[in-house]
Amino acid sequence: MLVKDAFKEVFTGFNMNNASSSDKYIKEVYFIQKDSISYTNIIPNKLIKKRINVDIKDKYTMKDRDIIISLKKPYKVGTYRFTNLKEDVVIPNNFIILRGINMDLYSFIFVSNYLEKIGIEKYVNDKKVNERTNKELTLEDVKNIELPDIPKQRQMTISNLMNLINDRSSIYSTILENDDQIIKYALNEVVGDNNAR
């Protein structure tokens, strides 16, 4: 089954260039970026908070079980599973949104992992996306990615394992990143002290 047949909606995120602005309407919202995705998880502290003066339709904010795909390499795939963020998360137009998965046929965890680890790369290689001048996925590309025909029960079995592995990998990634920041800070302190002497 193709992606476009497995979801009710497949569309690009919000385009700020097409929005009408107003000096009176200013609020702060969170925007997702490619760095906000780690092992198909969306990391709340990696979202960017921006002040905007445009009204963003609810359609372009993340919903439960949304799958998002970045259009530029590396093609990251994220799923919306966290509930501890109260503010809306806006999806910009460099992402594709897959919304309304056919729950009778597919697990959204299975599909997101399949797309990130196998499906997109297979499509890119088969369709020679990298030979294009812009080397980006398009909306039509994503709609036409083939999903495997696997019984939902088997998907659910491995989805639980995928969740555990992705959560663990995401935690390790955050720890390593924090360790890297501590090392940079320590080196800056030492270098700074040496320069001062």
Side-chain angles (χ1 to χ4, degrees):
M1 180 178 287
L2 299 180
V3 163
K4 65 183 176 184
D5 300 319
F7 291 84
K8 288 180 184 166
E9 293 182 276
V10 181
F11 57 100
T12 53
F14 180 72
N15 189 344
M16 290 284 285
N17 296 331
N18 295 340
S20 55
S21 61
S22 164
D23 292 335
K24 296 175 185 175
Y25 185 87
I26 295 178
K27 70 174 189 174
E28 288 188 334
V29 295
Y30 285 97
F31 275 82
I32 194 155
Q33 58 178 355
K34 201 184 294 193
D35 291 346
S36 309
I37 302 171
S38 178
Y39 300 98
T40 71
N41 290 310
I42 292 171
I43 312 300
N45 65 358
K46 294 281 188 145
L47 299 168
I48 295 180
K49 197 169 198 176
K50 291 184 182 179
R51 289 179 59 127
I52 60 167
N53 63 345
V54 296
D55 187 21
I56 297 176
K57 291 181 182 175
D58 189 50
K59 173 180 181 172
Y60 298 109
T61 58
M62 291 207 76
K63 308 285 185 250
D64 187 38
R65 291 187 172 88
D66 274 358
I67 296 175
I68 60 168
I69 302 170
S70 62
L71 295 176
K72 296 181 181 179
K73 290 181 78 173
Y75 310 111
K76 287 193 171 183
V77 179
T79 54
Y80 188 67
R81 292 188 295 146
F82 62 86
T83 56
N84 59 342
L85 193 66
K86 301 290 186 273
E87 294 87 349
D88 288 336
V89 178
V90 178
I91 307 165
N93 67 338
N94 55 335
F95 286 92
I96 297 286
I97 304 161
L98 311 181
R99 181 167 290 160
I101 192 167
N102 183 332
M103 302 266 301
D104 293 332
L105 298 177
Y106 288 105
S107 153
F108 81 106
I109 297 297
F110 172 82
V111 170
S112 61
N113 278 280
Y114 172 78
L115 289 172
E116 182 169 86
K117 306 293 192 281
I118 298 172
I120 292 175
E121 185 178 342
K122 183 177 184 310
Y123 180 88
V124 165
N125 290 336
D126 289 351
K127 301 296 180 186
K128 310 273 193 277
V129 169
N130 288 326
E131 292 177 8
R132 294 185 198 150
T133 51
N134 63 5
K135 296 185 180 178
E136 293 180 11
L137 287 172
T138 66
L139 180 59
E140 286 307 307
D141 288 333
V142 173
K143 285 181 176 181
N144 289 301
I145 293 173
E146 183 98 29
L147 297 175
D149 184 18
I150 296 173
K152 174 88 180 279
Q153 193 56 45
R154 282 189 63 201
Q155 293 176 43
M156 295 302 292
T157 302
I158 57 176
S159 288
N160 291 332
L161 177 62
M162 289 173 181
N163 262 344
L164 292 172
I165 292 170
N166 285 340
D167 288 346
R168 186 181 71 178
S169 299
S170 187
I171 289 167
Y172 284 142
S173 178
T174 302
I175 289 170
L176 289 173
E177 189 174 304
N178 288 341
D179 288 350
D180 192 44
Q181 291 301 318
I182 292 167
I183 290 168
K184 283 180 186 174
Y185 176 78
L187 286 173
N188 281 336
E189 286 296 307
V190 170
V191 171
D193 287 348
N194 285 341
N195 286 341
R197 287 182 186 156

